[in-house]
């Protein structure tokens, strides 16, 4: 089947919904460690235009495939961040927990992840899974934002967290994450 991969991926653009559905199923089955980057990129591109009824499934499959076949932790974080940015409201709580766990247990990734998530939250504080992931990481590793050479001040971090807490789209759980992050930051920053 691998030699027909491009044909299968091209069927994601077919006008017939049943063909698109079968092409999706085949695409998921074709992913392995050697082609994960290319096929996940195709799935992300398809996610931008996918029918609403397919979005939750596509997001779930991308997250599973990314977790299973990621060539590096950095690529996995970047990919999950793209998924959260494109279709964040379809992200399951398990994906948020797995992403947080990965960042927490990979010290080399912490500074990179906190900067990427801070930048993402500076642009979008509506998609709650993205916001919760970002707020948790900022709470744990916000001090790395100050040491990163970028011009981020403590006030910038506090204003971002305040705007998240006050935003009408923020759920109660998100506000709880913000309060916890503020308490952690109080201990980690002057």
């Amino acid at each position: 089947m691998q030699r027909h991969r491009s044909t299968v991926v091209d069927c994601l653009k077919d006008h017939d919904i049943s063909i698109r559905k079968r092409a999706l199923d085949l695409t998921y089955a074709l992913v392995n460690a050697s082609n994960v980057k290319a096929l996940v990129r195709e799935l992300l591109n398809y996610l931008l235009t996918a029918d609403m009824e397919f979005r939750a499934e596509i997001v779930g499959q991308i997250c599973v495939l990314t977790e299973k076949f990621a060539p590096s932790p950095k690529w996995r974080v970047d990919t999950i961040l793209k998924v959260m940015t494109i279709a964040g409201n379809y992200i399951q709580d398990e994906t948020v927990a797995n992403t947080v766990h990965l960042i927490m247990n990979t010290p080399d990734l912490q500074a990179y992840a906190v900067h990427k998530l801070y930048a993402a939250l500076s642009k979008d504080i509506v998609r709650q899974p993205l916001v919760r992931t970002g707020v948790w990481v900022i709470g744990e590793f916000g001090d790395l934002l100050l040491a990163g050479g970028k011009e981020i001040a403590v006030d910038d971090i506090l204003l971002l967290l305040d705007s998240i807490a006050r935003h009408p789209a923020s759920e109660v759980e998100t506000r709880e994450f913000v309060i916890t992050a503020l308490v952690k930051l109080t201990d980690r920053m002057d």
Side-chain angles (χ1 to χ4, degrees):
M1 284 298 295
Q2 287 294 339
R3 61 190 164 127
H4 300 291
R5 187 174 77 199
S6 63
T7 305
V8 171
V9 171
D10 284 342
C11 288
L12 292 172
K13 301 169 188 145
D14 198 276
H15 295 292
D16 186 337
I17 194 167
S18 64
I19 292 174
R20 288 195 310 269
K21 175 65 175 135
R22 290 188 187 260
L24 267 175
D25 292 340
L26 281 173
T27 303
Y28 304 146
L30 289 172
V31 176
N32 59 38
S34 64
N35 65 17
V36 67
K37 286 183 176 182
L39 287 178
V40 166
R41 184 174 40 250
E42 291 292 339
L43 289 169
L44 284 168
N45 288 336
Y46 181 63
L47 182 60
L48 292 168
T49 61
D51 299 307
M52 293 306 269
E53 68 237 32
F54 290 155
R55 286 189 177 206
E57 176 191 343
I58 296 167
V59 167
Q61 285 292 340
I62 290 172
C63 292
V64 167
L65 295 170
T66 300
E67 187 172 329
K68 187 174 181 180
F69 297 114
S72 71
K74 183 179 176 185
W75 182 84
R76 182 173 158 197
V77 166
D78 286 340
T79 303
I80 294 299
L81 193 69
K82 285 177 192 168
V83 175
M84 287 179 174
T85 302
I86 293 170
N89 294 330
Y90 292 103
I91 295 285
Q92 299 295 317
D93 289 339
E94 179 182 344
T95 300
V96 171
N98 290 343
T99 304
V100 162
H101 189 264
L102 171 68
I103 294 166
M104 183 175 66
N105 291 321
T106 313
D108 296 342
L109 191 61
Q110 293 164 356
Y112 175 78
V114 75
H115 279 89
K116 290 288 280 191
L117 285 160
Y118 178 83
L121 292 182
S122 295
K123 296 175 187 168
D124 179 7
I125 59 172
V126 175
R127 290 176 175 83
Q128 296 301 288
L130 171 66
V131 173
R132 282 194 286 273
T133 305
V135 168
W136 188 92
V137 171
I138 289 170
E140 285 294 318
F141 308 110
D143 55 320
L144 298 176
L145 285 170
L146 304 176
K150 307 221 185 225
E151 295 187 20
I152 300 172
V154 174
D155 287 345
D156 298 330
I157 298 168
L158 296 177
L159 285 171
L160 176 64
L161 293 174
D162 181 59
S163 65
I164 291 168
R166 294 176 189 272
H167 196 278
S170 291
E171 298 168 357
V172 172
E173 185 179 0
T174 303
R175 289 185 176 103
E176 292 169 352
F177 273 55
V178 170
I179 292 168
T180 303
L182 288 168
V183 171
K184 290 177 182 179
L185 289 173
T186 306
D187 187 45
R188 290 180 172 81
M189 296 180 178
D190 293 333

